[in-house]
Amino acid sequence: MLKWLFTFAWRDSRGSRAKLFLFVTSMVLGVAALVSINSFGDNLRRAIDFESKTLLGADLSMESGEPFPATIEAIIDSLGGIQSRRTSFSSMAYFPKSNTARLATVRGQEPGFPFYGKIESDPPEAADTYLFEKGALIDGTLMAQYDIEIGDSVRIGNATYTVSGKLIQTPRETAAIMLFSPRIYVPLADVDTTLLSIGSRAEYEIYFRLDDIEDPDAIVESLSDTLEAHSIRADTVEEERSNWDQSLTNLYRFLGLVGYMSLLLGSLGVASSIHVYIRQRIQTIAVLRVYGASSHQAFAIYLIQALGMGLVGAFLGSAIGIGLQSMLPVILGDFLPVDVEFSVSWSAVLIGSAMGIGVTLIFAMMPLLDIRNIPPLAALRTDFDQENDRAKNKRAKWLLFGLMALLVTVIAVIQAPTLTMGLGYSATVAVVFALLAGTAKLVMRFLAAKPPSGVSFVIKQGLANLHRPQNQTLMMVLALGFGTFLVSTMIISESTLLGQIDLASTEGKPNLVFYDVQPAQVDSLVKLVEESDLPVIDRVAMISMRLTSVKGISIESMREDTTSELSWAHRREYRSTYRDYLTESETVLEGTFEGRYSGTGLIPLSVEREVAKQLEITIGDSLVFNIQGVDVAGYISSIREVNWRQMQSNFFFVFPEGSINDAPAFHVVMSRTETPEASAMIQAMVVKRYPNISSIDISVVLTVFQAIFSRISFVVRFMALFSIITGLLVLSGAVMISRFQRIEESVLLKTLGASRRTVLQIMTTEYFVLGVASSFTGVLLSLAAGWGVSRFVFEANFIIPFGPILLLIASVIGVTIVVGQLNSRGVYDKEALDVLRKET
């Protein structure tokens, strides 16, 4: 019997294999997306495991925000091995050749590092020679931006270096990181130490190459309490590998989740296609029943065909996915710390294929259930309609719906970076599909219940086609609406992010910030800015401090207490200020802001609400800060809400005027320039006169941010492209599988005297309404999703890019009409006899 079932399923498909193959194509790209991403992920993990030591460049590293104290230096000496130190800090790099300056991350490096792997440079030997000739390795993007050539000079502080080569790749840093903050490597022995004075945010690092018998992880574990007490971070090869593995796994799993959307769309297309296919096989199934086949056997025949479709789709999708995998290292290259070699991950192929086959079968089961209700009598009654018997399948269909939801959720959780994201994704997809399906059904019911009056025959007939028997309105709205939802959500998210950072164009807001300004330099810097016809918008003092006590309990005792958990707010270094006013970005939520200190008693402090939440403090609670070895006690007098998106001098803690004015501080001066040329000129003037002062041009930050986000957007759009193409394939399939009904209508209209133009106008009306309903529904859903993302993920103002969204709507409508007309070509040319014989 099993052999007969397979044989009959094969023979029955003879006249419809081209049509069945069209059904298959809608799921191919979904499988391809999953196979390519998961196979790439397996290769990436292998590359990270293989090159784990080169990621850190050493066996062990220690990092501190201040010079290592004597206690730690003694530990460093006891560890032995080969050591190499590095000091990293931000500073202005001045290029005399072009008389320009740019903020960069400077790394003062000792010889030796990296112990594993290498610093890649052009020329290659420059990675070693720069250390011994007072040279500099400069990030390639920075060299191109300022037209720097090898042999030119760069001044950092009061030290001048010769450009030895172009920096290409270093351990622990990807191209995206270097784009955000370009790197300059110089010899540690030649660093201008005045740049490391109070106010600088230097990182002091030391790298170890240990003997093979020593276990770096065990060393870090034994020293954890001592290192934590001095706020020193330690990394080992295993920890570095684990961090990269986790972050990159989250990246490719998220992209796999985006690609998974195309598989869901494709499976819906398969289900819709099989629904129509089964309706065209009613008499064949009825004849089988006449000759003694049971309903279960008839069901099994077409289930075998669906399984065959799934197998073919899985094979083709896997083959395409393997080919696409070779493109991913190029597309994701800016975010990868290692080179990923191409190899086929058969486990990824197996898992992707199984997902494709499983989802295809479970979605195909829904229309296949109707086969069990086709009686032998249908072989004699051509007007048989199985709609009347569908009530028998309700229990089975509800069970099938549950299995669908379970399968979709399980696969989403497997693909997602986290369980919460997987569940949230499943819920979002379910809501989007439900709303799209509801929109389609509402359109059909409304048009069926209230046919339009007072309109031309063409429009009336085109609208009637949307609710005709065997229409594909639901499938088309799902495919088009979901594709629109994806693209529109991406556009809105991008505009929301860029809208928050694009503050440089706001009238009156500062867009140029000078910091690390020493007290003796403030007045002369202000004078220089004003002499350049630029405004001084703000000038504030910044004082570095650390918490030593909260509500009478010392941070040290909290650290020793295993029952208490220290948050980032307990451990961080604060940059605070003193002033007697609030800025427009601050709002007092509780208490009273005290702007002046009387000179006696505890100092009244104003704290930002998130820090207050982390420290679990409220009005009246006491705090003690250590400022350069001096303890300063205060109490919370007010809790503020701070709008961090505003270009203001925003702080977690604000002290009153007269409280810490004499503490060691550095200053920040804010100004505004209207042109890039004016910004470059004043920055060059300042860095030449005050080499220690650094500056940030907000317009440059915006440009960098846009460059990085464009890379991220490109990657996500690349994966979303799978869903968009799948949606078009589903749309094409939906048009093709309803082709016979269109031919019947066309022949009837032609017989009644309708011209080709009239028939085409009817179809255009139908596709226009479909495009409008789909695009507007998709956009409305994306607006809701975009608002949620901006509110709860980005915590930013919601911005609607009306221009791009209107263009998207017009594009979707246009594509719908074009695809519909292309797939309906030749319908008018059919003869009546062909239709009567059903030779389609």
Side-chain angles (χ1 to χ4, degrees), residues 41-245:
D42 290 345
N43 292 336
L44 179 60
R45 283 198 301 270
R46 281 195 294 269
I48 290 175
D49 291 341
F50 181 74
E51 300 187 36
S52 55
K53 285 195 173 184
T54 65
L55 293 174
L56 181 62
D59 295 316
L60 171 66
S61 73
M62 293 182 184
E63 302 175 19
S64 174
E66 54 190 32
F68 295 113
T71 304
I72 301 300
E73 287 290 356
I75 293 174
I76 291 172
D77 291 339
S78 68
L79 290 177
I82 304 174
Q83 302 176 6
S84 177
R85 295 183 184 246
R86 182 168 80 179
T87 302
S88 302
F89 56 94
S90 295
S91 181
M92 297 301 292
Y94 173 67
F95 305 107
K97 177 183 177 181
S98 57
N99 191 33
T100 54
R102 171 73 159 87
L103 183 66
T105 296
V106 181
R107 301 210 186 279
Q109 182 67 59
E110 281 187 344
F113 179 82
F115 301 117
Y116 307 103
K118 61 180 181 179
I119 294 177
E120 297 181 24
S121 65
D122 181 23
E125 63 272 13
D128 296 318
T129 58
Y130 86 98
L131 291 165
F132 307 102
E133 56 186 25
K134 200 177 181 181
L137 298 179
I138 300 182
D139 174 56
T141 304
L142 195 59
M143 292 185 68
Q145 182 180 1
Y146 292 95
D147 194 25
I148 305 166
E149 297 178 350
I150 296 173
D152 291 344
S153 62
V154 56
R155 197 181 83 184
I156 301 172
N158 290 310
T160 301
Y161 309 88
T162 300
V163 178
S164 301
K166 178 170 66 176
L167 192 62
I168 299 175
Q169 181 68 50
T170 65
R172 309 184 81 176
E173 295 175 326
T174 64
I177 293 175
M178 295 179 72
L179 180 66
F180 183 76
S181 180
R183 270 43 172 174
I184 299 179
Y185 275 59
V186 298
L188 179 59
D190 297 316
V191 169
D192 178 7
T193 55
T194 62
L195 299 175
L196 307 178
S197 58
I198 294 175
S200 67
R201 301 207 64 150
E203 288 288 332
Y204 297 85
E205 309 160 56
I206 184 168
Y207 294 88
F208 299 84
R209 180 170 183 173
L210 304 173
D211 296 333
D212 293 339
I213 60 173
E214 296 184 272
D215 184 355
D217 294 289
I219 292 174
V220 171
E221 180 65 26
S222 65
L223 297 174
S224 59
D225 292 339
T226 304
L227 295 176
E228 185 178 354
H230 292 86
S231 301
I232 293 174
R233 300 175 300 279
D235 282 322
T236 63
V237 171
E238 178 57 31
E239 187 172 353
E240 188 78 0
R241 184 204 63 77
S242 177
N243 290 339
W244 275 112
D245 186 59

Side-chain angles (χ1 to χ4, degrees), residues 47 72 97 110 255 262 274 320 437 514 537 608 662 664 694 831:
I72 301 300
K97 177 183 177 181
E110 281 187 344
L255 295 178
S262 62
I274 289 180
I320 295 173
F514 297 97
I537 298 175
E608 189 266 345
D662 297 329
S694 298
E831 299 295 334

Side-chain angles (χ1 to χ4, degrees), residues 489 492-497 500 645 782-800:
T489 301
I492 292 171
S493 299
E494 183 174 355
S495 297
T496 298
L497 277 178
Q500 307 317 307
R645 295 185 297 274
S782 72
L783 290 175
W787 176 86
V789 170
S790 64
R791 176 68 175 82
F792 300 107
V793 178
F794 298 149
E795 297 184 357
N797 294 328
F798 179 48
I799 297 176
I800 302 176

Side-chain angles (χ1 to χ4, degrees), residues 305-370:
Q305 289 187 0
L307 175 61
M309 292 167 58
L311 289 172
V312 172
F315 175 78
L316 293 177
S318 297
I320 295 173
I322 291 171
L324 287 172
Q325 178 197 335
S326 61
M327 299 172 57
L328 291 177
V330 178
I331 295 171
L332 297 172
D334 288 343
F335 306 96
L336 304 180
V338 294
D339 294 328
V340 181
E341 295 184 359
F342 174 85
S343 67
V344 178
S345 172
W346 294 110
S347 61
V349 172
L350 181 62
I351 292 173
S353 299
M355 288 181 178
I357 295 171
V359 172
T360 300
L361 280 179
I362 200 75
F363 275 78
M365 288 281 285
M366 188 66 70
L368 289 176
L369 284 176
D370 293 332

Side-chain angles (χ1 to χ4, degrees), residues 528-573:
L528 179 62
V529 171
E530 291 176 342
E531 287 176 349
S532 302
D533 295 327
L534 298 176
V536 175
I537 298 175
D538 200 2
R539 49 187 290 186
V540 295
M542 285 191 181
I543 301 170
S544 299
M545 58 186 69
R546 285 188 179 275
L547 269 174
T548 59
S549 173
V550 178
K551 294 191 291 189
I553 304 173
S554 70
I555 299 296
E556 184 65 29
S557 62
M558 291 183 189
R559 187 178 289 112
E560 294 173 354
D561 185 359
T562 57
T563 62
S564 64
E565 185 174 345
L566 296 182
S567 69
W568 58 268
H570 291 85
R571 295 189 295 266
R572 67 163 289 138
E573 179 184 60

Side-chain angles (χ1 to χ4, degrees), residues 298-568:
F299 173 83
I301 289 171
Y302 292 95
L303 181 63
I304 290 171
Q305 289 187 0
L307 175 61
M309 292 167 58
L311 289 172
V312 172
F315 175 78
L316 293 177
S318 297
I320 295 173
I322 291 171
L324 287 172
Q325 178 197 335
S326 61
M327 299 172 57
L328 291 177
V330 178
I331 295 171
L332 297 172
D334 288 343
F335 306 96
L336 304 180
V338 294
D339 294 328
V340 181
E341 295 184 359
F342 174 85
S343 67
V344 178
S345 172
W346 294 110
S347 61
V349 172
L350 181 62
I351 292 173
S353 299
M355 288 181 178
I357 295 171
V359 172
T360 300
L361 280 179
I362 200 75
F363 275 78
M365 288 281 285
M366 188 66 70
L368 289 176
L369 284 176
D370 293 332
I371 292 176
R372 303 187 307 168
N373 300 325
I374 299 177
L377 184 62
L380 300 176
R381 292 176 53 188
T382 57
D383 60 342
F384 170 75
D385 189 353
Q386 71 213 60
E387 298 284 345
N388 297 326
D389 295 324
R390 285 188 174 175
K392 301 177 183 178
N393 288 330
K394 279 190 176 180
R395 179 178 295 180
K397 287 191 174 182
W398 278 114
L399 176 62
L400 203 54
F401 272 125
L403 290 175
M404 282 183 185
L406 180 62
L407 181 63
V408 168
T409 303
V410 167
I411 296 178
V413 168
I414 292 173
Q415 287 295 127
T418 64
L419 174 64
T420 302
M421 182 178 287
L423 295 175
Y425 168 84
S426 300
T428 301
V429 168
V431 169
V432 171
F433 276 131
L435 292 175
L436 287 170
T439 300
K441 290 185 177 295
L442 282 175
V443 169
M444 289 187 287
R445 287 188 179 181
F446 178 79
L447 292 175
K450 295 182 178 181
S453 57
V455 296
S456 67
F457 167 78
V458 167
I459 295 177
K460 186 178 296 186
Q461 184 67 19
L463 295 177
N465 284 347
L466 295 172
H467 59 85
R468 68 183 184 279
Q470 299 188 33
N471 70 81
Q472 291 298 306
T473 302
L474 176 61
M475 195 65 252
M476 291 182 183
V477 170
L478 285 175
L480 289 168
F482 196 68
T484 305
F485 168 77
L486 289 177
V487 178
S488 182
T489 301
M490 191 66 204
I491 292 172
I492 292 171
S493 299
E494 183 174 355
S495 297
T496 298
L497 277 178
L498 295 179
Q500 307 317 307
I501 196 67
D502 192 11
L503 300 171
S505 60
T506 305
E507 187 66 31
K509 296 293 183 181
N511 61 7
L512 183 60
V513 181
F514 297 97
Y515 64 97
D516 284 350
V517 184
Q518 299 304 310
Q521 298 172 327
V522 177
D523 291 336
S524 55
L525 174 63
V526 168
K527 183 179 180 181
L528 179 62
V529 171
E530 291 176 342
E531 287 176 349
S532 302
D533 295 327
L534 298 176
V536 175
I537 298 175
D538 200 2
R539 49 187 290 186
V540 295
M542 285 191 181
I543 301 170
S544 299
M545 58 186 69
R546 285 188 179 275
L547 269 174
T548 59
S549 173
V550 178
K551 294 191 291 189
I553 304 173
S554 70
I555 299 296
E556 184 65 29
S557 62
M558 291 183 189
R559 187 178 289 112
E560 294 173 354
D561 185 359
T562 57
T563 62
S564 64
E565 185 174 345
L566 296 182
S567 69
W568 58 268

